[in-house]
Amino acid sequence: MTTPLDLDSDLRPDLDAAAHDETPPWWRQAAVYQIYPRSFADADADGIGDLPGITSRIGYLASLGIDAVWLSPFYPSALADGGYDVADYRDVDPRLGTLADFDAMLAALHERGIKVVVDIVPNHTSDQHAWFQEALAAGRGSAARERYIFREGTGPGGAEPPTDWLSTFGGPAWERVDDGQWYLHNFAREQPDLNWDHPEVREDFVTTLRFWADRGVDGFRIDVAHMLSKDLTEPLPSRAELDLLPRDGSHPLLDRDDVHEIYAQWREVFNSYDPPRTAVAEAWVDPSRIHLYARPESLGQAFNFDLLEAAFHGPEFRRIVTDNLARTHGSSSSSTWVLSNHDVVRHATRYGLSGAEDAGLVPTRRAAQWLLDGGRRDEVDAERGHRRATAATLFVLGLPGSAYLYQGEELGLPEVSEIAPAQRQDPTYFRTQGAEIGRDGCRVPLPWRPDAPAFGFGDDGSHLPQPEWFGEFAVQRQEGDPASTLSLYRRALHLRRRLQGPEQLEWIETGRDDVLHFVRPGGWHVVTNFGEADYRLPDALAAGAGGIVLASADASGPVVPAEATVWIATH
């Protein structure tokens, strides 16, 4: 798959010393590996991944060459939404371990030079949270209910919800309690929205941030960062009226300008530590407003999901990269690049599905439709999906900015579609009565060994079913194979550290819109052939000092194969 590479050789280019007078913060060009703790490794054989399981695999994480891990929620939770329904923000779910286990894991990761980012879920709590249980018991007009968003119903006896709003997961966005009032939940009914106008809510989250920062956590990923602030002045608009309102900072529910008052306070907290703690926003907003979350006085960085939703198409990739680099330059932040995460069909499968363009669908919607239609594996060109996925990954790892990788993509894992209804866990599936299949297929526990129980995930099964074919992708099977996807990721991540320079790139015209070529400072060239015909490198480039040092497919001589990426070092 790749040109052999001696990782011990010094391939880092000589860069302008002036560019390195001040060491930039670690997160600006980090490779961050997302761990979904319940599906990574299970140390106590209960079928659920845990913190000691992560600690047991730190050698694996270090061998990848990542700079940081991002942990999806590990807090006490009833798992109504895979842990994003948090019952206690300052503890560990007993099924996943203890605070002592967290501290041991954190220390072990730090010892190997790996930073730790934890998920913060501030829009809503679990309905099992002490505050919400207090609100239910306290009744109408109580101070406890003011921490959430309770309203009287409409219609005779208040039997109808306050509005016709819909939850993101399907169904009504309001739930009635025993005394007749209704509470707002923009996600599952087990996730009541907090009232961020309440000073106790703001104070409590500052306490939570300090709790984890004091333990040594390096940064925070902020879930649905654009939804905290709300204007619920009566009369409340209808769903149709909401849909017509502009997304310019004045919308009652989404991306309000005043949400940045919250993040300005958080930034003061982050900057009170040495080094300052970092944060990255999950903010689904108009591209023209994402910089507001990425400013130094706000969270500092924000996710860019454009490539995650893009087709494997050269002009589209180039436009997205150009636009996002311009936006981050304006915010003084660095860009973020994502191809897979815990919420979408894995990109090795998305790229193997045909028909998205013909149906007028972005690839994520095409993949969702494929799941809904039965998720048949024979409808996926697995070889092409894998070829495109590795090419896209090397393209992304060559870009300036942070790369966020999702657990299992380094194994080339495809989506698991064969999950029976009774075994599903995603609330989206149940709240839409199966009209949306949900996200369980990318959350199936990892395969570590091909012939072990639960493929080495744990000794007694896995909380989501692993298919028989999972063993083909097991870590143990790939570790000794220099042509494996795992070997490619390891080489790429280690080499990326040596080649990384200032956050710049220059596009080099190739004469083909399906072939993208950019060069980074120091002579690091990245060439991706999105087309179906081979591309011949310019003679001068092919004959450069280092030549091709990494390729996603067999690259012989000066030719970049179809749907492949090569890295070239000319210094």
Side-chain angles (χ1 to χ4, degrees):
M1 178 182 294
T2 60
T3 300
L5 174 65
D6 178 5
L7 292 179
D8 293 326
S9 65
D10 185 9
L11 289 172
R12 187 175 181 85
D14 292 328
L15 301 174
D16 182 1
H20 292 277
D21 286 346
E22 183 176 340
T23 302
W26 68 267
W27 50 267
R28 293 194 66 93
Q29 297 199 76
V32 183
Y33 183 88
Q34 181 190 356
I35 292 179
Y36 189 73
R38 290 171 173 81
S39 294
F40 188 71
D42 174 19
D44 63 1
D46 65 353
I48 300 175
D50 45 44
L51 301 187
I54 296 172
T55 303
S56 73
R57 301 292 185 181
I58 286 178
Y60 173 79
L61 295 169
S63 72
L64 271 178
I66 57 172
D67 300 298
V69 296
W70 151 30
L71 300 174
S72 290
F74 50 84
Y75 315 110
S77 172
L79 299 183
D81 181 24
Y84 283 87
D85 49 314
V86 179
D88 185 344
Y89 290 87
R90 299 191 284 273
D91 205 351
V92 174
D93 191 314
R95 290 164 292 187
L96 274 67
T98 64
L99 281 171
D101 291 328
F102 179 88
D103 292 340
M105 176 198 66
L106 182 71
L109 285 164
H110 281 171
E111 186 176 349
R112 301 300 293 268
I114 299 173
K115 308 288 188 183
V116 177
V117 174
V118 300
D119 230 313
I120 295 293
V121 187
N123 178 70
H124 46 264
T125 72
S126 165
D127 62 354
Q128 301 304 305
H129 192 283
W131 276 2
F132 193 72
Q133 290 298 306
E134 181 186 357
L136 293 180
R140 278 185 168 88
S142 64
R145 288 205 176 177
E146 290 301 314
R147 300 187 188 114
Y148 293 90
I149 300 169
F150 279 86
R151 290 289 186 275
E152 299 298 336
T154 59
E160 297 297 322
T163 70
D164 61 350
W165 299 346
L166 294 179
S167 156
T168 300
F169 289 159
W174 297 90
E175 185 75 12
R176 200 177 194 190
V177 300
D178 289 345
D179 61 19
Q181 275 200 314
W182 299 74
Y183 67 86
L184 179 68
H185 59 91
N186 270 293
F187 294 90
R189 68 185 177 204
E190 297 89 351
Q191 295 170 294
D193 279 33
L194 286 162
N195 172 18
W196 273 89
D197 287 334
H198 198 297
E200 285 186 41
V201 172
R202 298 194 180 206
E203 292 166 9
D204 196 68
F205 271 88
V206 167
T207 301
T208 292
L209 295 172
R210 288 198 178 278
F211 178 86
W212 294 109
D214 288 346
R215 299 189 93 85
V217 162
D218 302 284
F220 303 91
R221 179 262 188 187
I222 312 303
D223 187 63
V224 291
H226 60 297
M227 294 183 68
L228 276 58
S229 174
K230 300 175 179 69
D231 179 4
L232 298 178
T233 305
E234 303 281 357
L236 299 176
S238 68
R239 183 168 82 242
E241 290 169 330
L242 276 181
D243 290 343
L244 294 174
L245 293 175
R247 304 291 178 89
D248 59 359
S250 63
H251 193 280
L253 302 181
L254 304 172
D255 186 30
R256 293 182 52 76
D257 284 338
D258 52 10
V259 76
H260 298 290
E261 298 171 10
I262 298 168
Y263 298 138
Q265 182 184 20
W266 288 15
R267 175 46 56 189
E268 291 181 4
V269 173
F270 300 152
N271 288 348
S272 70
Y273 290 86
D274 184 17
R277 300 314 191 235
T278 184
V280 57
E282 181 203 28
W284 295 90
V285 302
D286 186 275
S288 66
R289 293 180 56 80
I290 194 69
H291 71 280
L292 297 173
Y293 297 83
R295 293 175 297 176
E297 58 268 31
S298 185
L299 293 173
Q301 197 175 52
F303 278 120
N304 149 36
F305 296 119
D306 293 350
L307 287 181
L308 182 148
E309 296 190 317
F312 188 80
H313 184 242
E316 189 172 2
F317 267 53
R318 178 165 178 167
R319 175 187 57 78
I320 287 169
V321 170
T322 301
D323 290 350
N324 279 281
L325 289 179
R327 292 188 192 111
T328 53
H329 179 74
S331 69
S332 299
S333 183
S334 65
S335 193
T336 59
W337 311 107
V338 184
L339 293 173
S340 281
N341 64 25
H342 64 296
D343 282 335
V344 298
V345 171
R346 290 182 176 275
H347 65 287
T349 294
R350 294 200 313 268
Y351 290 149
L353 287 166
S354 60
E357 294 84 358
D358 295 340
L361 298 172
V362 297
T364 48
R365 289 308 308 164
R366 169 67 181 95
Q369 186 62 49
W370 166 73
L371 287 174
L372 193 60
D373 292 341
R376 289 175 47 182
R377 293 188 72 207
D378 61 4
E379 294 179 350
V380 181
D381 186 337
E383 183 178 343
R384 189 179 204 192
H386 178 266
R387 185 168 64 245
R388 288 178 162 189
T390 53
T393 295
L394 289 196
F395 178 90
V396 162
L397 290 177
L399 294 170
S402 297
Y404 282 78
L405 311 171
Y406 179 51
Q407 66 176 42
E409 70 170 85
E410 78 278 9
L411 305 176
L413 279 184
E415 187 80 357
V416 177
S417 59
E418 53 266 59
I419 301 175
Q423 295 174 303
R424 291 199 171 275
Q425 300 175 6
D426 193 334
T428 303
Y429 177 78
F430 299 103
R431 288 185 61 82
T432 63
Q433 291 78 51
E436 295 283 348
I437 297 300
R439 303 157 293 177
D440 294 322
C442 66
R443 301 178 178 186
V444 173
L446 295 188
W448 293 93
R449 300 192 303 275
D451 301 319
F455 298 107
F457 167 70
D459 291 337
D460 192 24
S462 61
H463 67 99
L464 282 168
Q466 300 161 304
E468 292 182 5
W469 50 263
F470 237 35
E472 303 169 22
F473 297 88
V475 171
Q476 188 180 67
R477 178 163 286 172
Q478 296 196 38
E479 281 197 311
D481 181 2
S484 70
T485 310
L486 176 58
S487 294
L488 176 67
Y489 267 74
R490 284 175 170 172
R491 285 193 291 267
L493 288 165
H494 284 271
L495 182 57
R496 180 179 186 266
R497 285 181 173 175
R498 296 193 172 111
L499 294 176
Q500 198 70 265
E503 296 171 36
Q504 303 165 12
L505 66 73
E506 176 187 354
W507 292 108
I508 306 296
E509 299 306 323
T510 65
R512 284 173 51 176
D513 63 4
D514 61 356
V515 177
L516 299 187
H517 176 185
F518 62 84
V519 60
R520 298 287 304 280
W524 176 18
H525 293 254
V526 177
V527 182
T528 300
N529 182 357
F530 290 83
E532 298 181 3
D534 291 349
Y535 171 72
R536 184 178 179 85
L537 293 166
D539 292 340
L541 182 60
I548 295 176
V549 295
L550 192 63
S552 66
D554 290 333
S556 57
V559 172
V560 182
E563 299 180 333
T565 295
V566 301
W567 289 2
I568 301 167
T570 58
H571 289 177

